Amino acid sequence: FCFYTINGTQLFYMQHKLDYSAQSAQSIILVLQSACYLSCLPGGVLGDKVGKYRTILFFAIAYFAGCLAVTLSTDPSVKSAPLFLIGSFAGLAIGSGGIKPNVPNFGADQIDKEEERSAFFSYFYWAINIGSAVALGF
């Protein structure tokens, strides 16, 4: 839920709490989303080179650190735009880049039968999309 929850609330938070203009906030969010998906390219290559498990573990730690930084930055006593942006870009973008391309393949590697592997991808796809819908409030 973290990725979609943060993406779904960033615009409001950046405009109303960090005093960014609508255009600036939207531009930052678009760059962040681009960084999240572009970082999947080196994340996938790294998963092939050093192994999916190690890659997922390392990038999950970075992702958690980013989530923690974003969370701390929203505390009214902290309210730090630099911490929010560093957590978003250094933690979430880089972390998701190692997680997104490797988790589905790592999960599928655990299943031997082709028919069950196909069902795994269907269930995985639905779980991701239902989770994003819940996180975005639909």
Side-chain angles (χ1 to χ4, degrees):
F1 293 126
C2 185
F3 176 80
Y4 293 104
T5 301
I6 290 173
N7 270 322
T9 58
Q10 276 182 330
L11 185 62
F12 178 85
Y13 180 73
M14 291 174 76
Q15 284 182 274
H16 298 283
K17 300 297 182 183
L18 298 179
D19 299 321
Y20 282 93
S21 69
Q23 294 83 6
S24 294
Q26 191 63 47
S27 294
I28 291 169
I29 291 167
L30 291 174
V31 170
L32 173 64
Q33 289 174 346
S34 298
C36 287
Y37 289 104
L38 288 174
S39 66
C40 289
L41 296 171
V45 170
L46 193 61
D48 289 340
K49 298 284 185 193
V50 301
K52 293 175 190 75
Y53 179 78
R54 286 185 183 155
T55 303
I56 292 167
L57 180 63
F58 174 76
F59 284 93
I61 292 168
Y63 191 82
F64 176 75
C67 290
L68 186 62
V70 168
T71 302
L72 290 174
S73 74
T74 61
D75 184 326
S77 65
V78 176
K79 194 178 157 190
S80 171
L83 184 60
F84 180 80
L85 294 173
I86 289 168
S88 294
F89 282 95
L92 296 179
I94 292 171
S96 67
I99 294 170
K100 286 180 187 296
N102 290 300
V103 168
N105 297 325
F106 181 74
D109 286 348
Q110 312 306 309
I111 302 168
D112 292 326
K113 295 179 183 175
E114 183 62 35
E115 187 175 297
E116 291 176 1
R117 187 176 297 139
S118 179
F120 166 79
F121 282 115
S122 294
Y123 291 130
F124 185 84
Y125 172 81
W126 279 106
I128 293 295
N129 286 296
I130 290 170
S132 69
V134 170
L136 294 172
F138 294 108

